[in-house]
Amino acid sequence: DVQLVESGGGSVQAGGSLRLSCAASGYTYSSYCMGWFRQAPGKEREGVGVVDSDGGASYADSVKGRFTISKDNAKNTLYLQMNSLKPDDSAMYYCAAWNTGPYLSLDPSSYRDWGQGTQVTVS
């Protein structure tokens, strides 16, 4: 079975940094798009950043220049380096994989597989 397991969330002060990880398992193919999404209380889930197997990446405007997404194909692990964190970045962060929509889609509805999420709180 496909499984995505996030880690690395926590509490940090504004201006600080966190690095999230997402370990993927159960995929037969190594070429697939993965990404990070987030959902704050009372808000819809939104795309943060995605990366495809060809190295192409896309970011939400709100995180450009602060967040960097990367993927270690050998370890089947996705990362999200978050710098200059703001209170507005507080949310549950989810890892997702297998984009069924447009190339580098940031629309959560495009993704088939989801992790359980990891909480990020910025104060």
Side-chain angles (χ1 to χ4, degrees):
D1 291 345
V2 166
Q3 191 173 21
L4 300 171
V5 180
E6 303 98 333
S7 61
S11 296
V12 64
Q13 290 188 338
S17 298
L18 280 174
R19 188 193 194 206
L20 306 184
S21 299
C22 172
S25 61
Y27 288 92
T28 302
Y29 302 101
S30 60
S31 299
Y32 53 91
C33 183
M34 295 183 73
W36 290 97
F37 297 77
R38 67 186 182 186
Q39 187 168 19
K43 295 186 177 181
E44 293 187 353
R45 191 170 297 188
E46 62 177 1
V48 174
V50 299
V51 60
D52 210 328
S53 54
D54 62 359
S58 179
Y59 295 90
D61 288 343
S62 59
V63 306
K64 283 181 181 176
R66 301 188 298 122
F67 292 10
T68 303
I69 192 169
S70 61
K71 186 180 178 187
D72 185 331
N73 289 319
K75 296 182 179 180
N76 288 328
T77 301
L78 181 73
Y79 301 99
L80 182 67
Q81 178 65 44
M82 304 185 293
N83 298 327
S84 302
L85 282 161
K86 305 174 181 179
D88 283 350
D89 295 318
S90 297
M92 185 70 79
Y93 282 70
Y94 298 90
C95 174
W98 208 271
N99 179 17
T100 62
Y103 179 64
L104 298 178
S105 173
L106 286 170
D107 183 350
S109 67
S110 295
Y111 290 79
R112 184 189 74 180
D113 306 320
W114 291 86
Q116 293 300 308
T118 185
Q119 180 68 40
V120 171
T121 302
V122 185
S123 59

